[in-house]
Amino acid sequence: VQLVESGGGLVQAGGSLRLSCVTSGFILTDYSIGWFRQAPGKEREGISCLSPIETKTYYSDSVKGRFTISRDNAKNTVYLQMDNLKPEDTAVYYCARLPTVQSMCYMESLDGWGQGTLVTVSS
């Protein structure tokens, strides 16, 4: 099982980025996928996930209305479109394979963590 994040970078406040999570070693449509982030000196937080069944989504209050999670099964890739970025979005972003509980993604990584991708938002 492998999940590799990319797409981070430096962006000004109000700008946009799209993160990609390329997956391999498992059938993407069998699992939920989530995005997490960890800011300097803070705990890792789950910010969004997408279930495989009925494509149900979850967004934390901190990103709701600004971030959009999506999946391209043909490319085995999950995306996180981030719009109207704020300085407080600065963090290392990680994707993870998640269990599905009662048709909904459950924000707990099944496989640990990869390298992540750094997003820096300047004011």
Side-chain angles (χ1 to χ4, degrees), residues 40-121:
K42 294 190 176 181
E43 297 282 320
R44 194 183 331 253
E45 66 167 323
I47 57 172
S48 182
C49 65
L50 176 64
S51 72
I53 302 170
E54 302 175 14
T55 59
K56 293 181 179 178
T57 57
Y58 159 80
Y59 297 96
S60 66
D61 288 343
S62 59
V63 306
K64 193 176 297 180
R66 301 187 297 122
F67 291 11
T68 305
I69 190 170
S70 63
R71 185 176 67 207
D72 185 334
N73 296 329
K75 295 183 178 180
N76 290 322
T77 301
V78 177
Y79 302 100
L80 186 68
Q81 177 66 40
M82 307 188 297
D83 298 317
N84 190 21
L85 283 160
K86 304 176 180 180
E88 51 264 43
D89 294 318
T90 295
V92 178
Y93 284 71
Y94 304 88
C95 61
R97 189 174 61 137
L98 309 177
T100 303
V101 179
Q102 295 182 338
S103 300
M104 190 60 205
C105 43
Y106 185 79
M107 298 295 284
E108 182 173 302
S109 174
L110 291 170
D111 309 296
W113 306 103
Q115 300 275 30
T117 186
L118 176 63
V119 172
T120 304
V121 184

